[in-house]
Amino acid sequence: MTCARCPVPVHTQFATPELVGAIVEGGLDPAEDPGWAESGAGSPAEYARWAGHLCGMTCLRMALGADAPSLFALRDGALKYGAYTQDDADGTIRGLVYAPFAEYVGEVYGREATVHRHLDVEGIPPLLDAGRTVLASVHYGIRYPERPAPGRGGHLVLVTARTADGSGVHFHNPSGTDAGTRAAVLPLTEFERFFAGRGVSLV
């Protein structure tokens, strides 16, 4: 999908964009997504287990542009670098782990990646002005900015540009449920309510 506001493509972490809302809010089993094979997953079961954890890989896929590998090919690379881990006892998936992710992106894709463990929201526009995109940790409730923020962090969006006056940011949300939340604009003051103050910037 193309974006009207920036040259970065728009992708969702679930293969069928029209089903994102049904999956993340309506309880639809991701294994029922008819587009699962397009993700590169080996089976509907693998897709269903992992897709909800791959907001970071979706952000990377968008940042890499039109020639980016499939979502699960990116996942496979991240696993090799330890950017995701799986608990041996119960199979719990943990990640995205920023430091090995940055190493992965640099070594495999030649993109300089900087981990920002403490990032004020006012620090995002200068990174954008320097030609970077920013994987920002936000609460997934950012798709409903008109509501009180339920928390901060736990989900990644890709911030690609700032507004002309510098008072807001444009970002792509891997779990956006419609066109307006997949490629959104918010004032920094609104974005901050959901922002955990950390992330990774990519050249």
Side-chain angles (χ1 to χ4, degrees):
M1 293 173 282
T2 59
C3 179
R5 296 187 180 96
C6 74
V8 178
V10 180
H11 295 304
T12 55
Q13 63 195 90
F14 298 98
T16 305
E18 295 77 16
L19 292 180
V20 173
I23 292 170
V24 301
E25 298 177 343
L28 178 68
D29 183 348
E32 299 298 316
D33 184 339
W36 70 267
E38 298 171 20
S39 71
S43 67
E46 181 186 29
Y47 171 78
R49 179 168 180 259
W50 273 93
H53 297 274
L54 297 181
C55 51
M57 291 301 98
T58 307
C59 288
L60 175 59
R61 187 170 177 235
M62 291 188 280
L64 291 175
D67 297 327
S70 72
L71 185 61
F72 275 73
L74 292 171
R75 187 277 319 252
D76 291 344
L79 276 170
K80 291 176 183 176
Y81 277 79
Y84 289 102
T85 62
Q86 302 178 71
D87 190 291
D88 291 336
D90 61 10
T92 299
I93 298 167
R94 294 187 175 89
L96 188 69
V97 186
Y98 290 170
F101 169 73
E103 182 182 8
Y104 165 48
V105 173
E107 291 191 2
V108 176
Y109 297 106
R111 297 285 190 96
E112 179 189 328
T114 302
V115 176
H116 302 274
R117 301 194 186 281
H118 304 284
L119 180 63
D120 293 333
V121 72
E122 294 83 4
I124 295 177
L127 293 171
L128 301 171
D129 291 344
R132 292 176 173 263
T133 54
V134 181
L135 283 78
S137 177
V138 301
H139 192 279
Y140 63 81
I142 199 167
R143 71 172 77 98
Y144 296 114
E146 71 279 5
R147 301 178 185 175
R152 298 172 185 252
H155 178 58
L156 289 164
V157 299
L158 185 69
V159 186
T160 66
R162 66 181 185 124
T163 56
D165 64 2
S167 67
V169 289
H170 167 61
F171 60 95
H172 294 183
N173 183 354
S175 69
T177 54
D178 57 29
T181 56
R182 290 175 201 131
V185 172
L186 280 181
L188 285 170
T189 52
E190 293 293 298
F191 189 88
E192 185 177 25
R193 295 191 296 114
F194 302 87
F195 180 47
R198 58 181 178 267
V200 181
S201 66
L202 306 177
V203 172

